[in-house]
């Protein structure tokens, strides 16, 4: 594996990466019946801290509920597992991936009954998701030919493994076309989200957040809305179209992995000046300050390892 995850918490025990293995008859491998989370821990003046641990664990258990997983560990055990993995590997900062899945009890499409979920938490050192250049200069996006699935097709507010076939198709296509990321529209043609990020834009000094419809209710999105309001921005949650992004002064995308990344081009059109905009950079700086424990006002979002 190219990923170096060191010690992995695997069904309740810390084991070396090479020992954290599953059967090829795992239900999730065949049908996408897994749920997961993605968190980051950052180096702070008081040591490593996990950002918004409670919210991520809560969403993990909401995803489990949607998939009717019987979870062998409760939220507090998962919180502890997450902290333990960061601690045991001695990371100062890392990306953390909790995963639960339907194991090798049956290969009928219905994974129930008698298929208690298996659970693991792995963490590895992961820099900027979209590359340092995208962070500084802005990422280039193209609108995907793949639509974000409607709410009666897949449970898009749950982080279900199978949902990410949609994201992977969109992202492969975007990369092949020379773009950094894909913009997915919903089946009516309104902006849904990136393959792993929520979308925002600025117009006339007002910050517009794409409303919750078929997109994931991102924790970074919530963080950025809170920070923007505290900085005095008016924030409106709206349904918006791709041409609204073409006309925006600035646009950016947010996610645990992507953090706050400016969007410089969409479908070969520059957004605003075609460079990272000042409001976006201000919000990015505010976000990085908070996750790195440099703003005491938001200490409550940090869990020290
Ligand atoms: N949308 C999708 C499809 C995602 O996978 C992610 C990453 N979890 C996001 C949005 C951003 O969510 P968050 O800010 O909670 O990481």
């Amino acid at each position: 594996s190219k990923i170096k995850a060191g010690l992995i918490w695997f069904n309740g025990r810390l084991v070396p990466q090479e020992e954290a293995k599953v059967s090829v008859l795992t239900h999730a491998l065949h049908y996408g019946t897994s749920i997961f989370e993605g968190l980051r821990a950052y180096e702070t003046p008081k040591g490593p801290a996990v950002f918004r641990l409670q919210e991520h664990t809560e969403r993990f258990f909401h995803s489990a509920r949607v998939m009717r997983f019987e979870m062998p560990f409760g939220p507090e055990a998962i919180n502890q597992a997450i902290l333990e993995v960061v601690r045991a590997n001695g990371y100062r900062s890392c990306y953390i991936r909790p995963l639960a899945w339907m194991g090798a009890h049956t290969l009928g499409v219905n994974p129930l009954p008698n298929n208690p979920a298996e659970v693991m938490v792995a963490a590895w050192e992961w820099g900027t998701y979209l590359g340092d250049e995208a962070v500084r200069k802005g990422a280039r996006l193209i609108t995907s030919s793949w639509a974000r699935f409607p709410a009666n097709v897949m449970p898009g507010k749950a982080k279900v493994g199978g949902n990410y076939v949609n994201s992977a198709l969109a992202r492969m296509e975007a990369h092949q076309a020379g773009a950094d990321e894909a913009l997915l529209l919903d089946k009516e043609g309104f902006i849904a989200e990136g393959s792993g990020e929520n979308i925002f834009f600025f117009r006339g000094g007002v910050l517009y957040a794409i409303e919750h419809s078929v997109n994931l209710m991102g924790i970074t999105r919530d963080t950025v809305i809170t920070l923007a309001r505290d900085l005095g921005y008016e924030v409106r949650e709206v349904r918006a179209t791709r041409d609204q992004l073409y006309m925006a002064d600035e646009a950016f995308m947010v996610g645990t992995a992507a953090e706050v990344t400016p969007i410089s081009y969409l479908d070969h059109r520059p957004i605003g000046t075609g460079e990272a905009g000042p409001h976006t950079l201000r919000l990015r700086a505010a976000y990085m300050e908070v996750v790195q424990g440099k703003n005491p006002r938001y200490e409550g979002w940090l869990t020290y390892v």
Side-chain angles (χ1 to χ4, degrees):
S1 171
K2 284 190 188 157
I3 305 161
K4 294 265 168 287
L7 292 169
I8 294 178
W9 187 94
F10 189 61
N11 289 321
R13 306 188 297 125
L14 279 177
V15 298
Q17 179 176 347
E18 305 69 48
E19 288 173 33
K21 295 206 166 138
V22 297
S23 162
V24 292
L25 300 182
T26 298
H27 197 275
L29 195 55
H30 295 248
Y31 307 122
T33 48
S34 62
I35 58 153
F36 65 97
E37 265 307 316
L39 307 83
R40 276 188 191 266
Y42 289 89
E43 189 170 6
T44 81
K46 293 195 230 160
V50 176
F51 190 61
R52 303 201 70 174
L53 175 63
Q54 300 298 343
E55 291 85 349
H56 282 280
T57 297
E58 185 173 85
R59 190 171 64 188
F60 192 51
F61 279 83
H62 283 160
S63 298
R65 184 189 290 249
V66 169
M67 290 303 291
R68 311 182 64 176
F69 281 12
E70 191 186 306
M71 295 289 277
F73 303 94
E76 200 35 49
I78 297 301
N79 284 341
Q80 289 310 317
I82 289 166
L83 296 171
E84 204 179 322
V85 167
V86 180
R87 212 180 290 134
N89 287 295
Y91 295 136
R92 289 197 289 192
S93 64
C94 61
Y95 179 84
I96 308 158
R97 168 56 53 83
L99 175 78
W101 66 95
M102 291 283 100
H105 291 259
T106 173
L107 277 178
V109 168
N110 176 7
L112 305 174
N114 298 325
N115 203 355
E118 298 195 44
V119 190
M120 75 95 198
V121 181
W124 57 91
E125 287 170 320
W126 214 11
T128 51
Y129 181 62
L130 291 142
D132 295 333
E133 183 155 313
V135 166
R136 272 187 299 111
K137 293 194 179 167
R140 291 171 174 256
L141 269 60
I142 57 160
T143 301
S144 185
S145 69
W146 297 95
R148 177 74 174 170
F149 41 79
N152 60 350
V153 173
M154 296 286 268
K157 290 190 173 56
K159 273 185 85 75
V160 177
N163 288 353
Y164 284 81
V165 171
N166 179 246
S167 290
L169 288 168
R171 198 159 159 82
M172 281 191 280
E173 180 188 59
H175 275 211
Q176 202 101 48
D180 299 304
E181 181 55 290
L183 175 72
L184 287 103
L185 309 179
D186 66 21
K187 80 178 206 308
E188 265 84 47
F190 291 90
I191 296 165
E193 58 190 325
S195 73
E197 305 87 7
N198 290 112
I199 306 288
F200 285 85
F201 64 95
F202 273 105
R203 176 83 198 154
V206 174
L207 179 60
Y208 294 88
I210 302 304
E211 68 176 21
H212 290 317
S213 55
V214 294
N215 48 8
L216 190 78
M217 303 199 307
I219 292 165
T220 318
R221 177 186 182 279
D222 177 78
T223 302
V224 166
I225 289 174
T226 304
L227 296 182
R229 288 199 168 123
D230 288 352
L231 286 171
Y233 287 107
E234 182 187 340
V235 183
R236 294 190 202 148
E237 300 188 48
V238 294
R239 199 177 190 204
T241 55
R242 67 200 273 191
D243 44 342
Q244 273 176 289
L245 279 184
Y246 299 158
M247 297 173 195
D249 300 327
E250 299 181 23
F252 60 98
M253 55 193 167
V254 309
T256 299
E259 298 166 322
V260 176
T261 301
I263 302 173
S264 55
Y265 280 80
L266 172 61
D267 301 333
H268 314 290
R269 293 157 177 87
I271 296 185
T273 61
E275 286 169 12
H279 297 303
T280 302
L281 291 177
R282 189 172 172 214
L283 285 178
R284 178 179 165 83
Y287 182 78
M288 296 314 292
E289 203 176 79
V290 167
V291 297
Q292 290 169 357
K294 293 173 188 158
N295 186 337
R297 181 159 179 194
Y298 303 102
E299 276 258 340
W301 281 341
L302 307 184
T303 304
Y304 292 99
V305 169

